[in-house]
Amino acid sequence: MSTNEVQTLRLAVCLFNNVSILDFQGSIEQIEFLHPKTVFPARFGSKIVIEPVYIGPTREPVKTCSGPSLLPTKAYDDVGAEEQFDILLVPGGPEASTSPDVMSPSVIEF
């Protein structure tokens, strides 16, 4: 990578029913400060862009434990074996702290 080249990292935000928005939204807000077009990186020379992809059990809206429903970018089953993510963000929620048999099988397989 040259010194002027911007590096793009892919971030998978793993959504599931009853996910806690608070567990990932603050992180996403902070990650945006790394983008070269924001004030801080432009001043300090950031060369990183993080591209979030919101993945859910289906492409249907995901019900959160409080607040609005979320519309995933893609479903877990849509992610091919060749598709890679640099960062996985798995937020919490009531179902995340229980046994895996309560979670959607597509989340576990992913």
Side-chain angles (χ1 to χ4, degrees):
M1 182 169 81
S2 74
T3 57
N4 292 328
E5 190 175 326
V6 174
Q7 180 182 10
T8 299
L9 301 176
R10 296 191 73 223
L11 165 68
V13 179
C14 301
L15 303 177
F16 47 87
N17 285 322
N18 290 321
V19 66
S20 174
I21 294 174
L22 188 58
D23 284 357
F24 69 88
Q25 191 56 46
S27 300
I28 295 298
E29 292 271 338
Q30 294 299 311
I31 285 168
E32 281 300 312
F33 281 113
L34 293 174
H35 197 288
K37 293 184 178 167
T38 63
V39 172
F40 294 111
R43 186 173 177 186
F44 298 111
S46 175
K47 302 287 186 211
I48 298 172
V49 172
I50 297 181
E51 175 186 292
V53 178
Y54 298 89
I55 306 172
T58 68
R59 287 184 173 233
E60 296 298 314
V62 173
K63 183 183 177 322
T64 62
C65 65
S66 62
S69 294
L70 303 170
L71 189 61
T73 307
K74 59 176 38 182
Y76 290 107
D77 292 338
D78 295 340
V79 178
E82 71 287 345
E83 190 169 3
Q84 296 292 310
F85 293 96
D86 301 292
I87 306 165
L88 296 178
L89 196 162
V90 183
E95 291 184 11
S97 60
T98 61
S99 65
D101 57 317
V102 177
M103 297 288 286
S104 169
S106 61
V107 176
I108 302 299
E109 289 173 21
F110 176 76

